[in-house]
């Protein structure tokens, strides 16, 4: 380990310890928080196990409509939490929340199942950590924000770029200090080949999966292995595609780094231009423009071809009149017009958390950010303040990405009135702000 890496790792450890002490000091002599997880797939376990690493919580309840996934999660949690107790398991989140004995609820379901459990959880008195994007339509997000405020619950959104150590450094030491000068353009992008290309046949759902409940308020499609487990973002019925998955992270990161609110106008174009064989109905090519007064943020994704910069296949490039900053989950590069460039790599924490080395499917480079995001959430709960990725910030970033997809669908740019929560003078666009729900589920916007 060289000196710079030693300093980075050491400072990260100090910062994490300080966060932990801050959260503990704000809530002395309290019993461990009782935790529930709704959605026990890949990222649900990633989030929950990071929480266990940094706080003396007791995971008491798990919920999933996949019996095998649920059982596996219960075994892993029992092996990792201090009490070694196996959590109760549920196949319906409503039954879990009826107990009214959990303090914290993590929601990591497919996107079409974020709104109803989140609202039910805050109504049951829990503080919530909900994965991004918070919703699949704008009206859901509005209802989620209203519910959090009405019930005075602390809701953190899983946009953990806001808690990524090297990105915090880039924001504080480069952007806030004005080292880029005037920034007039930010490019955000993803060139991962992440769109499903297979074309498996529709089949009966496996006996361990409740497909009716999995589908919930979304349109009913025949079961297909592309949808579950794990690749449901191949379908717009359950998600907002790659814009809702990858653009939201980078747009939210840019908004946080630069202190931006709502875009004034959103425009997008794209479609399925290359891979026309797959059942997947999300775009394989898309560009979106978010206008913030005198700053333009431009998104592009391609699920084919090469990335223009192989070091930055998913990230953001800030262009200023005094320099350029490239930032991603793996590090950042500051290239000034005058002076020495600055490079940082992501810092791992294997010494403090050796289980990160062997945990299946863990994004090891993201684990430190998730831990800090959890501690930030706990600190806000202790003070009843707002976390760094408060539900309102998640609503702004989510809705902006949804507007990009609606712009592509309608073939025109969309202005946005943030105060009224609508597209001015565009009845057709406003109708699309709320998706129809499949019976018997009721849309939370009424």
């Amino acid at each position: 380990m060289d000196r710079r890496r030693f300093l980075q790792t050491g400072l990260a450890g100090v910062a994490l310890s300080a966060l932990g002490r801050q959260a503990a000091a704000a809530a002395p002599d309290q019993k461990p928080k009782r935790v529930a997880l709704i959605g026990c797939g890949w990222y649900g376990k990633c989030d929950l196990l990071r929480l266990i690493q940094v706080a003396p919580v007791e995971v008491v309840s798990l919920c999933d409509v996949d019996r095998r996934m649920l059982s596996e999660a219960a075994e892993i949690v029992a092996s990792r939490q201090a009490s070694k107790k196996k959590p109760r398991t549920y196949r319906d989140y409503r039954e879990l929340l009826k107990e009214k004995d959990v303090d914290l609820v993590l929601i990591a379901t497919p996107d079409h199942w974020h709104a109803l459990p989140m609202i039910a959880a805050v109504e049951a008195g829990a503080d919530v950590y909900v994965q991004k994007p918070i919703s699949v339509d704008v009206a859901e997000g509005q209802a989620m924000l209203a519910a959090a405020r009405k019930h005075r619950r602390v809701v953190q959104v899983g946009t953990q770029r806001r808690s990524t150590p090297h990105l915090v450094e880039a924001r504080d030491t480069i952007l806030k200090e004005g080292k880029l000068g005037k920034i007039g353009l930010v490019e955000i992008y993803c060139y991962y080949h992440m769109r499903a290309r297979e074309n498996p046949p529709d089949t009966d759902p496996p006996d361990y999966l409740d497909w009716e409940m999995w589908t919930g308020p979304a349109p009913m499609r025949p079961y297909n292995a592309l949808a579950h487990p794990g690749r449901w973002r191949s379908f717009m019925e359950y998600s907002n595609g790659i814009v809702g998955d990858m653009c939201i992270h980078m747009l939210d990161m840019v908004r946080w780094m630069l202190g931006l609110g709502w875009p004034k106008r959103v425009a997008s174009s794209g479609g399925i231009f290359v891979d026309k064989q797959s059942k997947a109905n999300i775009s394989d090519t898309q560009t979106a423009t978010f206008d913030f007064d005198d700053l333009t943020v431009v998104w592009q994704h391609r699920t084919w071809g090469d990335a223009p910069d192989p070091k930055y296949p998913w990230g953001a490039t800030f262009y200023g009149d005094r320099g350029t900053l490239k930032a991603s989950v793996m590090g950042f590069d500051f290239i000034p017009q005058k002076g020495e460039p600055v490079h940082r790599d992501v810092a791992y924490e294997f010494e403090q958390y050796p289980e990160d080395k062997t945990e299946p499917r863990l994004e090891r480079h993201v684990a430190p950010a998730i831990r800090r995001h959890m501690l930030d959430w706990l600190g806000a709960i202790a003070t009843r303040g707002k976390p760094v990725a408060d539900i309102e910030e998640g609503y702004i970033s989510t809705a902006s990405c949804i507007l990009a997809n609606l712009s592509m669908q309608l073939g025109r740019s969309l202005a946005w009135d943030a105060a009224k929560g609508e597209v001015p003078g565009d009845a057709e666009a406003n109708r699309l702000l709320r998706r129809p729900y499949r019976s018997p589920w009721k849309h939370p916007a009424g």
Side-chain angles (χ1 to χ4, degrees):
M1 183 182 292
D2 62 26
R3 182 175 181 274
R4 187 182 53 132
R5 166 66 67 212
F6 174 80
L7 289 171
Q8 281 183 258
T9 305
L11 290 171
V14 169
L16 189 61
S17 299
L19 279 169
R21 288 195 301 271
Q22 179 184 359
D29 303 323
Q30 285 193 0
K31 293 181 180 179
K33 297 283 189 183
R34 293 171 63 84
V35 179
L37 170 64
I38 300 172
C40 297
W42 170 37
Y43 237 82
K45 292 192 288 290
C46 288
D47 288 339
L48 182 62
L49 296 177
R50 304 291 78 69
L51 176 61
I52 290 172
Q53 286 177 327
V54 298
V57 297
E58 179 71 15
V59 181
V60 297
S61 301
L62 302 174
C63 179
D64 204 283
V65 297
D66 183 318
R67 188 171 66 248
R68 295 200 312 189
M69 199 172 281
L70 186 61
S71 176
E72 178 193 55
E75 294 290 340
I76 293 172
V77 169
S79 73
R80 294 280 290 270
Q81 65 178 349
S83 70
K84 303 302 180 185
K85 291 181 181 178
K86 188 179 290 188
R88 301 170 303 200
T89 57
Y90 300 83
R91 298 184 71 183
D92 189 324
Y93 73 93
R94 295 169 296 185
E95 296 302 313
L96 183 158
L97 294 172
K98 273 184 186 178
E99 305 285 353
K100 292 197 173 181
D101 65 348
V102 293
D103 304 302
L104 311 177
V105 174
L106 281 66
I107 297 172
T109 57
D111 296 348
H112 71 288
W113 259 123
H114 285 177
L116 294 180
M118 178 268 170
I119 292 171
V122 299
E123 289 174 344
D127 296 306
V128 175
Y129 185 105
V130 61
Q131 263 303 332
K132 57 80 212 168
I134 67 166
S135 62
V136 291
D137 69 36
V138 174
E140 280 184 338
Q142 293 168 342
M144 294 165 78
L145 173 58
R149 297 294 188 253
K150 175 182 177 181
H151 297 283
R152 299 182 179 181
R153 296 293 94 195
V154 178
V155 181
Q156 178 89 299
V157 178
T159 46
Q160 69 269 28
R161 301 291 80 77
R162 292 174 179 246
S163 297
T164 302
H166 65 266
L167 296 175
V168 174
E169 179 187 353
R171 181 195 64 164
D172 292 348
T173 65
I174 295 171
L175 294 173
K176 282 190 173 182
E177 292 186 8
K179 292 179 180 178
L180 290 188
K182 174 63 178 175
I183 301 169
L185 173 67
V186 182
E187 294 175 345
I188 54 178
Y189 38 82
C190 182
Y191 302 107
Y192 291 152
H193 293 186
M194 57 190 300
R195 185 176 181 272
R197 287 183 165 81
E198 301 91 332
N199 206 6
D202 295 336
T203 65
D204 291 333
D207 61 4
Y208 52 81
L209 174 67
D210 184 344
W211 181 242
E212 171 70 30
M213 188 67 173
W214 190 98
T215 301
M220 176 57 75
R221 291 177 57 110
Y223 172 78
N224 191 278
L226 281 185
H228 180 84
R231 291 186 293 175
W232 42 268
R233 283 198 175 94
S234 300
F235 301 99
M236 293 297 289
E237 288 87 344
Y238 317 127
S239 74
N240 282 293
I242 293 170
V243 167
D245 184 16
M246 307 301 275
C247 176
I248 185 175
H249 269 305
M250 291 301 132
L251 178 64
D252 186 80
M253 181 185 81
V254 170
R255 290 185 50 251
W256 161 68
M257 283 182 151
L258 297 180
L260 302 174
W262 284 95
K264 299 298 189 296
R265 180 173 292 273
V266 179
S268 182
S269 62
I272 303 174
F273 295 158
V274 175
D275 178 24
K276 298 179 180 292
Q277 285 72 46
S278 173
K279 274 188 169 66
N281 59 23
I282 63 173
S283 66
D284 66 8
T285 310
Q286 191 169 343
T287 301
T289 300
F290 304 91
D291 288 333
F292 296 90
D293 293 327
D294 59 348
L295 172 69
T296 300
V297 179
V298 179
W299 165 261
Q300 182 179 90
H301 73 248
R302 281 186 284 106
T303 62
W304 49 272
D306 296 326
D309 183 345
K311 282 181 59 181
Y312 287 89
W314 178 42
T317 303
F318 299 75
Y319 296 97
D321 61 4
R322 292 171 54 192
T324 299
L325 172 67
K326 292 190 173 186
S328 79
V329 294
M330 301 305 298
F332 73 79
D333 282 281
F334 169 49
I335 307 99
Q337 289 187 351
K338 296 180 181 179
E340 293 296 315
V342 177
H343 173 76
R344 291 287 185 272
D345 290 317
V346 63
Y348 299 89
E349 295 172 341
F350 294 142
E351 292 78 11
Q352 302 99 307
Y353 304 100
E355 58 270 30
D356 283 8
K357 294 181 181 180
T358 57
E359 186 175 313
R361 297 193 67 202
L362 173 64
E363 290 182 314
R364 291 168 177 81
H365 59 290
V366 182
I370 300 176
R371 282 189 281 268
R372 284 161 179 76
H373 219 42
M374 291 296 173
L375 283 170
D376 178 84
W377 179 41
L378 293 173
I381 289 169
T383 63
R384 305 316 297 172
K386 290 181 181 180
V388 67
D390 175 63
I391 182 66
E392 186 169 8
E393 298 297 335
Y395 163 56
I396 294 171
S397 294
T398 296
S400 298
C401 290
I402 292 171
L403 288 171
N405 282 334
L406 295 182
S407 170
M408 183 177 72
Q409 178 182 339
L410 292 168
R412 59 178 178 271
S413 65
L414 301 175
W416 183 248
D417 185 327
K420 293 182 178 179
E422 64 180 30
V423 181
D426 194 330
E428 183 181 17
N430 287 324
R431 282 193 295 272
L432 295 175
L433 298 179
R434 170 180 163 174
R435 292 190 189 186
Y437 265 33
R438 187 174 69 97
S439 180
W441 304 100
K442 304 296 184 183
H443 197 289

